Structures are given as C-alpha cells and as structure tokens.
Amino acid sequence: QSVLTQPPSASGTPGQRVTISCSGSSSNIGSNTVDWYKQVPGAAPTLFIYTNNQRPSGVPARISGSRSGTSASLAISGLQSEDEADYYCASWDDSLNGYVFGTGTKVTLL
Amino acid sequence: VQLQQWGAGLLKPSETLSLTCAVSGDSFSGYFWNWIRQPPGKGLEWIGEIVHSGTTLYNPSLKSRVTISVDTSKSHFSLNLTSVTAADTAVYFCARGEYGGLLDSWGQGTLVTVSS
C-alpha cells in the first residue's frame, strides 16, 4: 500500500557511509517536504529528519537528508552501532490528501 | 510534550477498536493529532488526523470505518475503528504533528489483536 519506495535493507561496516533512497511521485515528494523516522525494535518511531534536511535536536551532524525531484535520500556517515534500526521516509500526498510512509529500510552493521 | 495512550488490546472480529491518547506538557491547540498503525513485522500506515477544532482527515483506505474525535477540555483525542478483522491487528500509535506531517512526538504504542 506504501506509495513511497525504499530499499528493504542497507548495511555497512563501522565508520562507513550508508545512503537510503526514497522514491515517490509528483503528488508527494515532488511537491511536498520529506520527513524521516528512526525506529528501533519494540519502540515508537522518532522524528529523525524533517523538512527534507533539518535535524531535530539530539540528532548528530553526521546525519543528513536531501530531496531532488520526486526522490529523497538519507545519509548516515561514520556508521555506529546506535544507527542499527529501521528508517522510514514520509511525505504528504496531495492526491490521497494524506500522509504516506515509505516501505522502510533496515540498517545493519556488518 | 508527552503522549500517553490506552485502550482495549484484544478484540473479536466485527467489534469496534477504541483508543484514547492524552496530551500533556504543551498546548493542545495549534497542532495536528494523528493516529498511525504498524502490523506485526510490517511498515507504518497513517490512519488520520484531527485538529483542536475537530476538523479531520482520514486515510482513504480506512475512511469508511474510522472516526477520530477530540476532547479539548481534557487534551485527549480518540480513535474508533469499526468492524475490525484480523487485518487490523497492529500496534497503534498516537502522534503530534504539524501541517503536512512532521510527527515530532509519539505515544508508546498499543498492540491491538483481533482474534476469534
């Protein structure tokens, strides 16, 4: 049912850079801002990036977000054990008149 | 801000799911109050939102069965989902949002299981 597509998994060794993509359409990412959420097992999601590239307080500077056209991406530099989690992109969809989430990406350390 | 949610965790098919979320520590007005759900092992699905005036927006796929209401005197908002089936089994979250999304505070989640 998700209208935003993410790769199911991403991985890297400690210290590496990992990038997660989020593909949408003109009715969502193409015309609205993108948020990212981080979810560790058994817990509620937390806001991780908002308005395409803004970091809430407490999110380190090695985390960054971007949007271009109908796609967005989340980059994690200097991969650490605390980064192991599920990550979801989200955006408002003007056609559905609702908030839509991505399919989710599980990040693991090798 | 803190969001504390509660409601019945086990339902039979065709019953009505009812959850409530209490907001404390910040103003209730000026924000969008959302419900989101997550089936076991799956991704997040937005259910709908309400503002303090009572205006609502619902996910079109659930619209015929969903009602979100607000009690501003108590800083509470509630979710009702009628005629539940096993497909409605999920962890349900309440969350505070801004215009266009940006869910910056979440409740702890409530597992609702639908089983005969």
Side-chain angles (χ1 to χ4, degrees):
Chain A
Q1 182 178 349
S2 298
V3 299
L4 304 181
T5 302
Q6 302 176 231
S9 63
S11 61
T13 58
Q16 276 191 329
R17 174 183 171 94
V18 168
T19 301
I20 302 169
S21 61
C22 175
S23 178
S25 68
S26 59
S27 64
N28 40 67
I29 295 176
S31 51
N32 296 292
T33 59
V34 177
D35 307 315
W36 290 87
Y37 299 89
K38 176 182 179 180
Q39 186 180 33
V40 297
T46 59
L47 184 64
F48 203 55
I49 288 285
Y50 65 95
T51 315
N52 303 327
N53 55 19
Q54 302 300 300
R55 286 177 283 106
S57 61
V59 175
R62 61 187 181 85
I63 307 299
S64 63
S66 64
R67 180 189 72 164
S68 179
T70 59
S71 294
S73 63
L74 175 72
I76 304 174
S77 300
L79 198 61
Q80 302 178 8
S81 58
E82 67 190 45
D83 300 324
E84 286 198 311
D86 294 322
Y87 294 86
Y88 294 90
C89 60
S91 183
W92 193 263
D93 190 291
D94 293 333
S95 295
L96 297 174
N97 202 22
Y99 198 51
V100 292
F101 288 94
T103 48
T105 299
K106 186 176 188 65
V107 170
T108 56
L109 254 66
L110 298 174
Chain B
V1 63
Q2 291 188 330
L3 283 73
Q4 181 74 29
Q5 58 182 103
W6 65 88
L10 181 61
L11 296 173
K12 290 181 167 54
S14 80
E15 291 184 333
T16 296
L17 178 157
S18 292
L19 298 172
T20 297
C21 185
V23 180
S24 60
D26 199 354
S27 172
F28 193 72
S29 62
Y31 292 99
F32 295 75
W33 302 100
N34 293 255
W35 288 98
I36 302 97
R37 70 179 182 178
Q38 183 173 39
K42 297 188 178 181
L44 301 167
E45 180 182 31
W46 180 79
I47 298 171
E49 66 180 18
I50 191 167
V51 294
H52 73 280
S53 64
T55 302
T56 54
L57 274 177
Y58 299 132
N59 185 323
S61 69
L62 298 169
K63 188 174 183 177
S64 63
R65 297 192 293 131
V66 171
T67 301
I68 298 176
S69 58
V70 66
D71 184 341
T72 54
S73 67
K74 295 181 178 179
S75 295
H76 290 182
F77 64 107
S78 298
L79 169 69
N80 272 16
L81 180 67
T82 62
S83 304
V84 297
T85 68
D88 295 310
T89 294
V91 176
Y92 287 74
F93 298 99
C94 58
R96 184 181 79 171
E98 298 190 5
Y99 181 80
L102 208 166
L103 306 179
D104 66 348
S105 296
W106 293 63
Q108 79 275 20
T110 301
L111 174 61
V112 177
T113 302
V114 181
S115 174
S116 55

